[in-house]
Amino acid sequence: MKQVVISGTGLYTPPLSISNDELVAAFNAYVALYNERNAAAIESGELEPLLESSSEFIEKASGIKSRHVIDKNGILDPLRMYPYIPERGNEQLSVQAEMAVAAAREAMANAGKSAADIDAVIVACSNMQRPYPAMAIEIQNALGINGFGFDMNVACSSATFGIEQAANAVKAGTARCVLMVNPEICSGHLEFRDRDCHFIFGDVCTAVIVESADTATAAQRFEILGTRLATVFSNNIRNNFGFLNRCDEAGVGARDKLFVQEGRKVFKEVVPMVAEHIASHLQQNQLTPPQMKCFWLHQANLAMNLLIAKRLLGREAEPGEAPVILDEYANTSSAGSIIAFHKFHADLAAGDTGVICSFGAGYSVGSVIVRKL
Ligand code: COA
């Protein structure tokens, strides 16, 4: 069987960032306005008053301290509460493609690859800014890559599912080298007026180069020892936005057309699912959790990641064993585990092994066991 490697990663971080305090100040201003405007209905018991948010709650419940975003002003305007991202003409590079091109260029430079070396582009993320033409084909065109491109969506697990598709293409010989990108503009699908979730997401893009070990020349090369994907249906994380929405006017703009979740249930159900998934994937490969140098986990909730690591290791994780980036980036959906891998892989020695694992809506879990060459 052909040996396949991850030979480069890239990261595009939007320059703008929102702290918890800034987010909470805007949210609480919105709450004050709402309660004032609806004072009579609240007084008569017809409406419930909105409750304020708090930075302390956000950091304690999630570990999130800030998030990078494409637009800050729109989100922090209490009269708007969503980003302002102007539409672009069809002749201009779209916003999502622009982020992807920036992350891709870094990944290609790290892998020592030019456009001519790459045969396929996969966009794997939670939200595409349009149904077609595929974002991947626009990115392929912008980078001057021949071959083919396609988009795929497995929500927060998209990146690991994308790595498996890339690795399979290389193994099958349908592509020599694949660029897999995760442009996530999560601020676009987040209800910033809902205190249960207004703090959860951030925007970012990651990129991964997957190729045959025979062609890889990068200093940092990670052999893919195995990939394992699993899905189990759940309504606990859901977004009903879609092309059929206009066919029932009653639902247009309703709360369920943005991200909704039952956070507590997700926490309780997904932690054991992920720990068992990783443990059995390692066992399948004659490996054990304590042998892993690093678990680059999906970044949704700090306590969740610490618990998964503890279940795997049978003890608290040492700093560096399950690196955290959600404090700065918040949940960036599919990109989270790849940001962690991108930022925390250089210190591993040749022969060291680790697991990239993403999980989320679906439910879905994807793990990629890697060994540094
Ligand atoms: N500020 C202050 N209080 C808040 C608040 C806010 N922004 N949001 C919620 N609260 C309140 C709730 O109303 C609730 O009050 P109550 O006890 O009086 O009913 C209390 O705080 C606890 O809320 P809850 O939603 O149960 O908090 P939690 O500890 O479960 O934390 C999450 C919420 C979302 C951070 C957490 O459940 C989580 O991260 N789950 C995993 C989600 C996940 O992995 N999703 C994958 C998405 S891709």
Side-chain angles (χ1 to χ4, degrees):
M1 180 81 78
K2 196 182 272 183
Q3 199 186 21
V4 180
V5 299
I6 291 174
S7 56
T9 56
L11 171 65
Y12 170 75
T13 301
L16 300 172
S17 171
I18 297 178
S19 68
N20 285 347
D21 284 349
E22 288 174 299
L23 192 74
V24 166
F27 180 85
N28 290 349
Y30 161 74
V31 167
L33 274 171
Y34 175 94
N35 289 345
E36 196 183 298
R37 276 185 192 160
N38 295 290
I42 291 169
E43 181 73 21
S44 69
E46 205 182 305
L47 271 183
E48 286 292 320
L50 291 183
L51 301 174
E52 292 198 333
S53 181
S54 96
S55 297
E56 296 70 39
F57 169 84
I58 295 171
E59 191 170 341
K60 190 158 169 265
S62 68
I64 296 165
K65 296 178 183 166
S66 61
R67 68 283 299 141
H68 289 276
V69 288
I70 298 286
D71 173 62
K72 191 165 166 169
N73 290 337
I75 295 170
L76 294 184
D77 177 354
L79 298 174
R80 183 179 171 93
M81 306 288 281
Y82 47 90
Y84 182 64
I85 304 175
E87 278 192 31
R88 295 181 179 182
N90 291 354
E91 300 313 313
Q92 284 176 286
L93 193 63
S94 43
V95 182
Q96 236 178 339
E98 189 173 271
M99 298 164 77
V101 164
R105 287 199 198 286
E106 187 186 3
M108 287 162 69
N110 284 336
K113 295 288 140 186
S114 69
D117 300 317
I118 300 172
D119 293 328
V121 178
I122 300 174
V123 169
C125 65
S126 287
N127 294 283
M128 310 295 166
Q129 69 177 76
R130 60 166 184 267
Y132 46 83
M135 300 304 305
I137 304 174
E138 187 183 4
I139 294 160
Q140 180 196 353
N141 182 57
L143 290 166
I145 292 170
N146 292 319
F148 64 94
F150 63 88
D151 296 349
M152 53 175 279
N153 177 358
V154 201
C156 290
S157 297
S158 299
T160 50
F161 279 59
I163 289 172
E164 180 173 291
Q165 305 325 305
N168 286 348
V170 173
K171 274 185 220 158
T174 53
R176 292 164 300 158
C177 177
V178 181
L179 165 68
M180 196 277 305
V181 287
N182 321 105
E184 293 285 10
I185 308 184
C186 300
S187 61
H189 83 153
L190 180 54
E191 178 50 279
F192 287 95
R193 286 173 283 214
D194 180 344
R195 82 166 184 162
D196 287 337
C197 67
H198 76 118
F199 54 89
I200 287 181
F201 289 108
D203 304 333
V204 81
C205 183
T206 44
V208 177
I209 300 286
V210 175
E211 62 176 312
S212 167
D214 300 341
T215 55
T217 54
Q220 303 273 337
R221 300 184 314 281
F222 285 81
E223 180 185 0
I224 298 175
L225 296 179
T227 55
R228 188 176 189 214
L229 314 180
T231 49
V232 179
F233 186 70
S234 167
N235 276 321
N236 289 335
I237 313 171
R238 192 160 173 130
N239 182 345
N240 286 333
F241 182 76
F243 79 105
L244 290 179
N245 290 165
R246 72 178 185 126
C247 305
D248 181 356
E249 290 80 353
V252 172
R255 178 66 189 86
D256 70 328
K257 306 305 183 298
L258 293 170
F259 166 88
V260 281
Q261 75 168 351
E262 294 281 347
R264 261 236 163 158
K265 285 191 189 158
V266 174
F267 192 117
K268 262 177 75 177
E269 291 171 9
V270 169
V271 166
M273 188 177 163
V274 172
E276 280 155 30
H277 178 97
I278 295 175
S280 63
H281 187 198
L282 288 172
Q283 194 178 24
Q284 231 178 24
N285 286 269
Q286 288 82 49
L287 292 164
T288 62
Q291 288 175 303
M292 297 302 107
K293 269 278 178 287
C294 201
F295 294 98
W296 298 280
L297 300 176
H298 173 51
Q299 305 279 318
N301 182 296
L302 179 59
M304 206 168 174
N305 284 14
L306 295 176
L307 207 54
I308 291 168
K310 191 173 176 186
R311 279 188 180 229
L312 285 165
L313 296 167
R315 58 167 171 79
E316 305 290 338
E318 299 286 333
E321 282 183 315
V324 178
I325 59 90
L326 63 78
D327 51 349
E328 176 188 342
Y329 284 86
N331 182 343
T332 51
S333 196
S334 68
S337 58
I338 307 298
I339 304 174
F341 179 73
H342 174 79
K343 286 185 176 274
F344 296 95
H345 70 250
D347 289 348
L348 268 66
D352 283 350
T353 45
V355 181
I356 303 170
C357 182
S358 53
F359 42 88
Y363 294 136
S364 55
V365 191
S367 52
V368 181
I369 307 174
V370 293
R371 177 167 55 205
K372 192 159 185 180
L373 295 175

